[in-house]
Amino acid sequence: MPVLNDGTLDQQPLPTGHYGYSATRLDDLGAAEYTLVTLVADVSPSVSAFLPQMEAALREILHACRHSPRADNLMVRLVTFSNKMKEAHGFKLLAQCRPDDYRGVLKVGAATALYDASENAVAALADYGRQLTAADFSVNGILFVLTDGEDNASTLGVRHVRDAFLGAVQSEAMESLVSVLVGVNVQDRRIGAYLQDFKNEAGFTQYVELQNAHAKTLAKLADFVSRSIAAQSQALGTGGASQTLGF
């Protein structure tokens, strides 16, 4: 598998003291405004049956974004989680995110640390957004968390995710933040209700549910994600977030 964190990104601690993140150095940025994109993927054992389709969806998202008129204004971070969260790579310029590098990037682990990964994703967006804003960049963000089940391994709780969202808003770290929780292959109504409750209690903008993980369904998800990224990036400078898109 290609090395996605190649040493060109700076390591960044988080004020919470939890797992930090990495990001492109501000001196290496050439545009005046950026949309920060974070993709968080569940790699617990239950996703193993459709892991190749999830990787294909990731590649299609990046491929579509590279053809966007806003391609030069996007930075992408990829996080995976099972019993622990792992940063596959930090905030990289889209031009450095080659779709073929995402073959074999998802590795199945054990258990589901959904809350830990979600909290880190939001906190990292807010922290890096704050740095960009302080350096006179215009910035907004969009987050997608993909999971197929309940948390059973986090050290943090739902309130920590909610606090991260509130901190991102109250600190005015970025112009706006859109967050989408995606339930993948949700065939149990109890799991769907759990994820809907998590969306509401934590403060995600939107919940999208996929009842299966067929290639066609995940291709539709990739299209939804890439269109949502484009809409949020186009909203930068308007003072607000993009309109929520239907799946």
Side-chain angles (χ1 to χ4, degrees):
M1 184 186 75
V3 178
L4 298 182
N5 259 346
D6 57 6
T8 63
L9 306 182
D10 279 344
Q11 297 298 314
Q12 304 280 346
L14 286 172
T16 57
H18 302 140
Y19 190 111
Y21 67 100
S22 61
T24 301
R25 302 178 184 95
L26 302 190
D27 289 344
D28 292 339
L29 300 176
E33 58 184 35
Y34 288 97
T35 294
L36 304 180
V37 180
T38 299
L39 305 172
V40 182
D42 186 341
V43 290
S44 57
S46 54
V47 308
S48 59
F50 50 90
L51 207 66
Q53 291 89 338
M54 285 184 63
E55 284 190 349
L58 282 175
R59 293 194 299 272
E60 182 54 36
I61 290 166
L62 294 168
H63 178 76
C65 287
R66 286 166 72 95
H67 287 82
S68 165
R70 299 281 300 170
D72 291 340
N73 304 95
L74 298 177
M75 280 192 276
V76 181
R77 180 182 187 231
L78 175 61
V79 171
T80 65
F81 67 94
S82 52
N83 60 320
K84 295 181 180 179
M85 65 151 291
K86 179 181 179 182
E87 182 182 72
H89 67 76
F91 292 106
K92 294 171 64 173
L93 294 167
L94 179 64
Q96 298 171 349
C97 301
R98 297 176 297 180
D100 283 347
D101 287 349
Y102 292 76
R103 297 181 186 276
V105 71
L106 302 182
K107 302 293 186 182
V108 173
T112 307
L114 173 61
Y115 302 153
D116 285 356
S118 298
E119 188 274 345
N120 174 270
V122 179
L125 277 163
D127 190 74
Y128 192 43
R130 190 179 304 112
Q131 293 184 44
L132 288 165
T133 299
D136 292 328
F137 292 93
S138 296
V139 59
N140 66 4
I142 187 164
L143 163 67
F144 297 89
V145 177
L146 282 63
T147 186
D148 74 336
E150 299 172 275
D151 186 285
N152 58 16
S154 288
T155 59
L156 303 178
V158 176
R159 69 176 180 87
H160 296 97
V161 183
R162 181 177 63 250
D163 288 348
F165 274 122
L166 290 173
V169 173
Q170 293 171 356
S171 67
E172 298 183 347
M174 58 187 75
E175 185 177 284
S176 65
L177 173 61
V178 171
S179 53
V180 185
L181 177 65
V182 182
V184 181
N185 200 36
V186 178
Q187 300 177 5
D188 185 332
R189 290 184 178 180
R190 183 183 60 84
I191 297 298
Y194 162 82
L195 291 174
Q196 182 68 60
D197 287 344
F198 176 44
K199 174 262 182 187
N200 292 334
E201 293 173 15
F204 283 85
T205 308
Q206 184 178 7
Y207 173 61
V208 171
E209 186 170 294
L210 283 60
Q211 294 183 348
N212 61 65
H214 300 158
K216 185 176 180 180
T217 304
L218 290 174
K220 183 179 177 183
L221 174 64
D223 176 69
F224 166 77
V225 171
S226 59
R227 287 188 294 110
S228 298
I229 291 170
Q232 176 67 344
S233 190
Q234 288 165 1
L236 185 56
T238 67
S242 61
Q243 294 294 315
T244 298
L245 302 183
F247 177 68

